[in-house]
Amino acid sequence: MTRSRPRIDTAGRRARLGRRQLLAPAHRAARSEEVADAVVALHASDPATVHLAACARLAAPDPAAVERALYDDGSLVRLLCMRRTLFAVGAALTPVVASSTARAIAAKERAGTLKWITEGAPGWDERRLAEVEARTLAALHAHGEATAAELAAEVPDLRETVVNSPGKPYQATVAVSSRILRTLAAEGRIRRGRPRGGWTSSSFRWRPGTAFADLPAPPAPEARAVLARRWLAAYGPATVEDLKWWTGWTLTATRQALAAVEAVEVDLDDGTPGVALPDDLEPVAAPAPWAALLPGLDPTAMGWKARDWYLDPALVPRLFDRSGNIGPTVWWCGRIIGGWAQRADGEIVWRLQDSGGEAAAAVAAEAARLADWIGDVRVTPRFRTPLERELSR
């Protein structure tokens, strides 16, 4: 006799999302570190996203507290990791993320930088690259913190250039410092310090970091199992393909990690096969009705590859750019119902699908909450989408 798989429907998934992603007001956190732990990692490709995503989930939004976690306490650490994307990860989880994803990405980054610089810049080889890196690290340790320009003033080799795509319409001349510093950061040997300007700035100073080789990290298979469990606890139930996409692992590595945590096969709505942790099969009560305004690249919006259960496909062309980056979104009880933007005068504006008066009132209240804590700061997403551009005019 064939045993039927447990079924978890869309309502159950949305109930979990509101609670576990800390979006329902009763489940908001007190500290930004709690937020990062709840969603596993905060997207950090756009500096503003870390602050906006954290504050959307804090009972008392405070961008200064997020800055302290990133730059003073070191309790949030930026890493180039899952899907070769920059994330802010809780310090305790950093060794796991390093071993499960970031080390492999750093190795590819180093190989690519060596090929790029030796083929494009005369007189460079692996030995010279290592020497320049050593002098760069020595200068950074001496100063404690420095911009790329300040490091190049002390290590003139960093000012040399490479012509990318010569002869092409998009030809560009690039300083070798950009690739060298990026590689050192990918390996954890340097880290981004406080930006020059406010929390929306992309112009960072650099600080000494801790190389992945020096971290007390578990072996890669064990680390992948830990990360898979954390992801399923935050984003499950989901599909195997969702986890594979989110991590950037191979299908084999994904299946091995799921087997290690004894993930259970379940049926999602429409019969789609999924997986869940063995202790996550019982119904979850939906939180009280809630609304949220989340930033571009928010971890919830980008948490799954298959999104139809929380995102109407008709909204996709307006909410995503051509590279697959999602812009600012408006949520109601576990699904995306529109998008929002900030105008030059600071006004928060939004556009919704027809979701009823209760949803509209809750969204307006969340927009007022956002406007209150964001104050005089102006935010333009790094990856702009059609609806965001239209609303911000």
Side-chain angles (χ1 to χ4, degrees):
M1 178 175 169
T2 303
R3 295 180 61 186
S4 63
R5 292 182 297 204
R7 182 173 181 271
I8 302 176
D9 62 13
T10 294
R13 298 181 77 185
R14 290 178 179 171
R16 287 167 170 81
L17 184 155
R19 289 172 173 270
R20 296 174 184 175
Q21 302 279 311
L22 309 183
L23 295 174
H27 297 276
R28 287 173 182 156
R31 301 171 65 245
S32 55
E33 294 89 343
E34 296 173 43
V35 173
D37 286 344
V39 299
V40 186
L42 292 162
H43 274 260
S45 300
D46 184 338
T49 291
V50 179
H51 297 77
L52 290 167
C55 288
R57 296 166 169 86
L58 290 174
D62 183 2
V66 182
E67 288 186 291
R68 286 194 297 271
L70 285 167
Y71 308 123
D72 299 333
D73 302 337
S75 50
L76 291 180
V77 181
R78 280 188 173 90
L79 294 177
L80 188 68
C81 46
M82 289 75 72
R83 300 191 313 280
R84 200 173 171 275
T85 298
L86 197 63
F87 283 88
V89 180
L93 192 62
T94 295
V96 167
V97 173
S99 180
S100 63
T101 61
R103 279 178 176 165
I105 290 167
K108 291 180 180 179
E109 189 73 24
R110 174 156 294 282
T113 295
L114 180 61
K115 183 176 186 293
W116 175 80
I117 202 168
T118 54
E119 292 181 357
W124 284 80
D125 55 20
E126 188 170 6
R127 180 177 178 179
R128 184 182 175 191
L129 176 59
E131 291 173 348
V132 171
E133 287 177 336
R135 283 188 279 133
T136 300
L137 290 170
L140 190 56
H141 278 276
H143 288 279
E145 188 175 88
T147 65
E150 290 166 344
L151 290 170
E154 292 205 21
V155 185
D157 304 66
L158 293 174
R159 296 200 295 265
E160 294 193 22
T161 59
V162 171
V163 177
N164 283 344
S165 306
K168 301 291 180 63
Y170 45 86
Q171 173 180 314
T173 300
V174 181
V176 300
S177 61
S178 62
R179 286 293 292 263
I180 291 174
L181 293 174
R182 189 172 76 185
T183 300
L184 292 174
E187 295 172 338
R189 294 199 280 172
I190 65 174
R191 61 188 178 91
R192 288 166 176 81
R194 194 176 294 276
R196 301 173 67 189
W199 52 265
T200 63
S201 173
S202 296
S203 180
F204 289 95
R205 299 176 178 88
W206 293 101
R207 293 176 176 176
T210 302
F212 294 156
D214 298 329
L215 290 175
E222 181 181 332
R224 286 195 290 269
V226 173
L227 190 61
R229 180 180 293 280
R230 290 287 299 271
W231 185 86
L232 274 178
Y235 296 88
T239 68
V240 174
E241 186 62 25
D242 286 332
L243 177 58
K244 175 182 178 292
W245 172 81
W246 187 87
T247 56
W249 296 336
T250 65
L251 181 58
T252 297
T254 304
R255 286 175 170 163
Q256 289 172 342
L258 290 169
V261 301
E262 300 179 339
V264 177
E265 292 186 349
V266 299
D267 280 332
L268 307 176
D269 266 356
D270 73 19
T272 300
V275 289
L277 291 175
D279 60 355
D280 190 24
L281 305 179
E282 297 300 319
V284 172
W290 58 271
L293 272 64
L294 301 184
L297 296 178
D298 185 85
T300 301
M302 296 290 287
W304 300 265
K305 183 178 182 181
R307 304 182 176 111
D308 287 2
W309 62 277
Y310 66 89
L311 172 61
D312 182 347
L315 290 175
V316 170
R318 305 289 289 154
L319 293 178
F320 285 78
D321 71 8
R322 294 180 179 178
S323 298
N325 301 302
I326 196 167
T329 52
V330 178
W331 291 70
W332 173 243
C333 296
R335 64 187 179 95
I336 295 174
I337 62 170
W340 65 275
Q342 184 187 37
R343 290 181 173 158
D345 63 1
E347 182 185 6
I348 305 296
V349 293
W350 59 93
R351 184 174 299 162
L352 309 178
Q353 288 180 321
D354 185 11
S355 303
E358 184 182 10
V363 169
E366 277 303 299
R369 177 176 179 262
L370 172 60
D372 182 61
W373 74 257
I374 207 171
D376 295 333
V377 175
R378 300 291 177 264
V379 178
T380 301
R382 180 178 176 185
F383 304 102
R384 305 197 70 184
T385 55
L387 183 56
E388 185 276 328
R389 286 181 181 275
E390 182 180 329
L391 290 174
S392 63
R393 293 173 187 158

